[in-house]
Amino acid sequence: MSDTLKLYNSLKREKEEFKPITEGFIGMYVCGPTVYNDVHLGNCRTFMSFDMIYRYLLHQGYKIRYVRNITDVGHLLDDGEDRILKGARLEQLEPMEVVQKYTNGFHDMMDVFNTLRPSIEPRATQHIIEQIEMVESIMKNGFAYEKNGSVYFDTLKFAKDTNKYGELSGRVIEDLMSESRDDLKNQSEKNHPSDFAIWIKAAPEHIMKWSSPWSVGFPGWHLECSAMSTKYLGETFDIHGGGNDLKFPHHENEIAQNVGSCGCSPANYWLHTNMLLMNGKKMSKSDGNTISPEQLFTGDSPHVTKGYSPMAIKFFMLMAHYRSTIDLTDDALQAGEKGYKKLMEAGRSIDQLAASAEGEGSIDVQISNLRQLAYDDMNDDFNTPKALSRLFEMVSIINGLKGGQLSLNDLSTSGLEMLKNTYHDFVHNIMGLKDDMVSNDQSEYMNGLMNLIIDIRKNARETKDWGTSDKIRDVLKELEIQLKDGKDGTDWTIN
């Protein structure tokens, strides 16, 4: 067993012991959304994964500056059109109206999934000066050139002088063609197809543009993250994260820009989440293989047979390691929902337990071992599926104590406290799950009604009124409410 935290560093392609630059402090940058439409479910997975990572590091006592940007300019489509401007045109709104609308929507969705807000959430349009200054530094160091008012990063010279281009993605310079989508209308201006724009001269009809030493234009997509991470975390910080799809070209070009500007790599550890598949295939609007978070909540989609709660969906995501693909299917969601409900039911049951032994009981030892194993799993590159398996072993202990299969005489007061704290720490503080099976404002009324129904059923059985007893059972079954009779009375759960 080890308390050493190990991370899989994409830059080194192996797990490494995590050593922050400054002991006790962590600087972490995660690439945020491009706010031109509603947040995609795959992106939700990425942000939930980094929320779990953020929560665990906080739980371990680190002071963290977590920076997650908002991309509100410069992220171009394959035809060279700005995503924000396209959204503005389609919705007949000002670009900043589009940005604000979908930024609000993004925040609302992250709240629905119970994620913590970052320490700083900078916008690209608020940091144009810093981006212009970085372009100037890159040009001064000889790694960029200007053509007709646009500025391009010289990848061939950078690769030759530093031997670093392709270090993250594993690409070799001879294989690189333009995949950055930021300047496809100006291919003829480049010295080499792999060069990418760090400043783009704006066409007359372009709305979002700023004055610069080279032209009235706007920054390249990759530049914003380099400039903002440097501003808020320094030239070199601890962790840089994002989806696996950003590894190339976005993150590769970030590294090139930072090294080209100051001679230093931006982050010591690069973490990447993997794809969310659906029915075994990549999500795609063109072939109908896609679903929005709202459709998952309501069940209004041919891909699911019912709606699922946000926390059941989040639990489903956490059942897979953040570096593994997840296949979203209706059957898998139903299995995840059952596991989530079982976990929440156990949480409610803990408060009803009372230990009767002093000192250390045999169950205390089991709980202590499971607790340590759960920490070992999280220290092994945030292995949530294995940590959850330890929690479900604790659920078996909770259910055994409640049902009488295990003796409360084998559980001490301190052991019960350890059980409660471990459950709360991992389920709520680290995984970020909450019990949304019954909302807080309804739970008191629901409990009261169910206690009344249980009493009526009890009286009916005692008087052999089987008709009433069977009717209660059948109606509750239709509502997916299950009654469980035990030696201490009857409990209820929502299936």
Side-chain angles (χ1 to χ4, degrees):
M1 295 184 183
S2 172
D3 293 327
T4 301
L5 175 62
K6 290 188 176 182
L7 312 181
Y8 183 87
N9 189 351
S10 298
L11 192 64
K12 303 291 182 62
R13 297 172 183 76
E14 64 182 8
K15 289 180 185 177
E16 294 183 321
E17 180 180 346
F18 176 65
K19 295 180 180 179
I21 295 169
T22 303
E23 187 174 354
F25 294 83
I26 294 175
M28 182 169 77
Y29 187 93
V30 174
C31 292
T34 302
V35 283
Y36 68 101
N37 62 9
D38 292 320
V39 62
H40 187 271
L41 189 63
N43 290 335
C44 289
R45 188 224 173 161
T46 291
F47 300 129
M48 279 190 270
S49 294
F50 281 103
D51 178 68
M52 171 272 297
I53 290 170
Y54 180 41
R55 286 172 175 272
Y56 185 67
L57 295 174
L58 285 172
H59 178 72
Q60 292 294 72
Y62 288 104
K63 184 175 181 180
I64 305 170
R65 179 174 291 172
Y66 174 18
V67 182
R68 187 183 65 204
N69 70 299
I70 295 288
T71 294
D72 56 359
V73 68
H75 196 333
L76 304 194
L77 296 164
D78 290 338
D79 61 3
E81 185 175 13
D82 189 302
R83 292 172 184 261
I84 307 298
L85 294 181
K86 183 174 182 179
R89 189 185 71 252
L90 292 175
E91 299 191 38
Q92 297 184 322
L93 298 172
E94 284 292 318
M96 284 298 105
E97 284 184 283
V98 173
V99 166
Q100 194 61 52
K101 173 183 177 180
Y102 291 113
T103 298
N104 291 342
F106 170 70
H107 287 151
D108 291 343
M109 187 58 67
M110 290 300 98
D111 290 343
V112 166
F113 284 121
N114 195 33
T115 67
L116 302 175
R117 297 286 175 95
S119 313
I120 303 173
E121 193 173 52
R123 295 187 179 189
T125 53
Q126 296 171 344
H127 297 79
I128 299 298
I129 292 174
E130 289 86 352
Q131 293 177 77
I132 290 174
E133 290 174 346
M134 180 165 277
V135 173
E136 290 177 324
S137 297
I138 295 170
M139 293 187 76
K140 183 180 178 181
N141 291 332
F143 293 117
Y145 55 91
E146 184 263 336
K147 288 281 189 73
N148 300 322
S150 293
V151 181
Y152 299 96
F153 192 93
D154 191 336
T155 55
L156 288 180
K157 186 175 190 306
F158 179 77
K160 180 182 177 182
D161 290 2
T162 68
N163 198 32
K164 281 186 172 293
Y165 200 65
E167 187 177 32
L168 178 66
S169 63
R171 309 273 182 126
V172 292
I173 197 71
E174 289 78 11
D175 297 334
L176 293 173
M177 297 299 289
S178 180
E179 298 184 42
S180 55
R181 303 191 305 271
D182 58 7
D183 48 15
L184 298 186
K185 292 181 178 180
N186 301 311
Q187 289 292 328
S188 60
E189 293 180 351
K190 296 180 179 183
N191 290 346
H192 188 270
S194 66
D195 294 350
F196 58 92
I198 52 180
W199 186 265
I200 304 168
K201 182 180 179 180
E205 66 273 13
H206 205 92
I207 301 173
M208 300 175 75
K209 52 192 175 185
W210 294 264
S211 296
S212 78
W214 316 283
S215 65
V216 174
F218 53 95
W221 166 40
H222 315 300
L223 191 67
E224 61 175 287
C225 289
S226 288
M228 292 189 291
S229 64
T230 299
K231 179 179 177 68
Y232 295 109
L233 298 174
E235 292 180 344
T236 301
F237 51 94
D238 296 297
I239 296 172
H240 194 311
N244 203 44
D245 58 318
L246 296 180
K247 191 181 294 183
F248 185 87
H250 186 52
H251 290 163
E252 193 72 75
N253 290 348
E254 272 192 69
I255 294 174
Q257 290 166 160
N258 282 70
V259 175
S261 173
C262 66
C264 44
S265 295
N268 289 334
Y269 302 88
W270 289 79
L271 308 185
H272 291 94
T273 61
N274 215 323
M275 291 178 60
L276 177 65
L277 305 174
M278 190 165 76
N279 300 317
K281 299 186 296 182
K282 182 179 179 180
M283 284 195 181
S284 171
K285 286 185 179 180
S286 61
D287 61 10
N289 193 52
T290 186
I291 191 169
S292 70
E294 290 84 358
Q295 288 174 315
L296 263 185
F297 302 154
T298 63
D300 184 20
S301 167
H303 298 295
V304 292
T305 56
K306 54 177 283 187
Y308 297 91
S309 76
M311 289 299 100
I313 296 166
K314 186 173 187 177
F315 175 83
F316 167 77
M317 300 283 192
L318 291 168
M319 285 171 61
H321 191 275
Y322 79 93
R323 287 193 290 111
S324 300
T325 57
I326 307 178
D327 190 8
L328 186 80
T329 67
D330 194 52
D331 288 344
L333 284 167
Q334 289 188 30
E337 183 183 56
K338 288 181 181 178
Y340 164 73
K341 288 181 176 180
K342 186 176 181 180
L343 197 62
M344 293 303 107
E345 179 188 343
R348 292 192 296 270
S349 299
I350 290 178
D351 294 331
Q352 301 172 19
L353 296 176
S356 59
E358 298 297 330
E360 183 179 75
S362 60
I363 296 177
D364 294 25
V365 177
Q366 295 180 53
I367 296 169
S368 179
N369 289 339
L370 288 171
R371 177 184 175 88
Q372 182 60 54
L373 287 171
Y375 277 110
D376 290 346
D377 296 331
M378 292 301 293
N379 285 333
D380 184 17
D381 194 34
F382 312 107
N383 196 326
T384 54
K386 288 189 70 174
L388 283 169
S389 72
R390 315 298 183 187
L391 293 180
F392 277 105
E393 290 187 62
M394 291 188 185
V395 168
S396 296
I397 292 174
I398 294 167
N399 292 338
L401 290 168
K402 187 178 177 183
Q405 293 88 358
L406 297 177
S407 173
L408 286 167
N409 291 324
D410 293 327
L411 178 68
S412 71
T413 302
S414 61
L416 177 59
E417 194 66 21
M418 185 193 305
L419 181 62
K420 290 180 178 180
N421 289 340
T422 302
Y423 179 92
H424 182 80
D425 286 344
F426 275 85
V427 174
H428 300 306
N429 292 342
I430 296 171
M431 304 294 179
L433 295 168
K434 59 183 181 180
D435 192 345
D436 66 1
M437 293 164 63
V438 181
S439 61
N440 290 334
D441 58 341
Q442 294 177 329
S443 59
E444 185 176 345
Y445 300 104
M446 188 72 171
N447 282 326
L449 288 171
M450 285 305 303
N451 287 335
L452 175 62
I453 291 169
I454 288 170
D455 283 342
I456 293 172
R457 174 176 172 268
K458 179 182 177 184
N459 291 334
R461 296 177 73 178
E462 289 175 348
T463 59
K464 299 186 178 180
D465 182 0
W466 306 121
T468 299
S469 176
D470 291 345
K471 184 177 182 179
I472 291 173
R473 178 199 63 201
D474 294 341
V475 171
L476 291 180
K477 185 177 180 180
E478 289 178 6
L479 297 172
E480 296 189 341
I481 296 175
Q482 181 182 0
L483 298 182
K484 293 185 177 180
D485 297 312
K487 65 176 184 177
D488 295 324
T490 302
D491 295 315
W492 62 276
T493 60
I494 301 175
N495 292 330

